[in-house]
Amino acid sequence: MSIALIAGAGALPLALVEAARAAGAPRPFVAALDGFAPEGLAPDLTFRIERLYPFFAALHERGVTRIAFAGAVRRPRLDPALFDPLTAGIVPRLMATLAQGDDATLREVIALFEEDGFAILGAGEVAPALLPPEGVLAGRITPRDQQDAARAALIVSALGRVDVGQGCVVQQGLCLGAETLAGTDAMLAGVAALPQDLRPDPAGGRGLLFKAPKPLQDRRIDLPALGVQSVRNAARAGLGGIAWEAGGTLCLDLPAMRAAAEETGLFLWSRPPGTGA
């Protein structure tokens, strides 16, 4: 067994395991951070940050050489009584990066795994089917949608450079919401709750949800993700569709997403990277 999946909360870890299985690849060894169990997937091992080096040793004992990350993890509360001597030695290093933001923390996590001899894979390398090709995959887009997507790409790029979010909602050039720590669903709920007099006339374009990686992030970890619930929440927010950066955004169940988009009248657009950002 050579690949381990470091799983966080949410549906992404299971989607990645199922996509790998459908491609004929062996099931990865699944390790979950304590307190952040994935949905519908029983981990083979649960670990704590305070005992990171014993966790590394357990992976080596199982023949793991490659690591992929998937799922949501918030910054855990550390218990000083649980540290082993080796992990205690890197506490200052971890605390320094935690103060710098999510991107710096994730880069440090990757560095720690690599220093212990593990190769880091992106989720798309484990399950390429989760990264749809470029193109309009449901519905149709208009020139107004193209303009809104270009505007949204600029906003997400600007926010990403200061390590804030991977998504926003734009309607007729106006930003109705930007993704923060609460995530995409919370942003869409906020857009749905906006008074109509704050939103443009939908006859001129219903707007869209756009998602893309942060410009400076390591794309082997924490790629933005979309699923069926994203489609349904975008419809509840009165939007016309969803666009994302092709090759940089994971779609957890594209057939189900397309079915939901057709049902709700939304478009799905896997947009070429670098256009308008």
Side-chain angles (χ1 to χ4, degrees), residues 86-112:
L86 281 176
T87 306
I90 63 167
V91 170
R93 181 175 169 183
L94 285 173
M95 298 307 292
T97 56
L98 283 169
Q100 296 175 42
D102 290 344
D103 284 352
T105 301
L106 292 174
R107 284 193 295 270
E108 191 64 27
V109 167
I110 287 175
L112 289 168

Side-chain angles (χ1 to χ4, degrees), residues 188-212:
L188 290 172
V191 171
L194 283 174
Q196 286 303 311
D197 60 0
L198 291 181
R199 298 182 64 163
D201 183 348
R206 291 188 293 160
L208 53 82
L209 163 66
F210 179 80
K211 298 206 74 171

Side-chain angles (χ1 to χ4, degrees), residues 137-277:
L137 306 178
R140 57 181 292 273
I141 58 172
T142 66
R144 177 72 263 176
D145 297 325
Q146 293 174 333
Q147 294 167 16
D148 281 349
R151 170 72 170 156
L154 287 170
I155 292 169
V156 169
S157 178
L159 292 174
R161 290 182 187 281
V162 291
D163 197 9
V164 177
Q166 297 172 309
C168 71
V169 171
V170 170
Q171 183 181 8
Q172 297 178 40
L174 298 177
C175 182
L176 305 186
E179 184 182 84
T180 58
L181 187 62
T184 304
D185 290 343
M187 172 182 64
L188 290 172
V191 171
L194 283 174
Q196 286 303 311
D197 60 0
L198 291 181
R199 298 182 64 163
D201 183 348
R206 291 188 293 160
L208 53 82
L209 163 66
F210 179 80
K211 298 206 74 171
K214 299 172 188 174
L216 304 179
Q217 80 175 73
D218 188 321
R219 294 192 176 209
R220 294 174 294 175
I221 189 169
D222 194 35
L223 283 183
L226 294 163
V228 175
Q229 196 59 45
S230 308
V231 178
R232 300 202 180 282
N233 287 343
R236 292 189 187 101
L239 303 179
I242 301 175
W244 62 86
E245 183 181 305
T249 304
L250 300 164
C251 290
L252 305 193
D253 187 342
L254 187 58
M257 287 178 62
R258 294 173 82 164
E262 291 170 3
E263 177 188 334
T264 55
L266 269 65
F267 65 79
L268 300 177
W269 181 18
S270 186
R271 185 174 178 270
T275 49

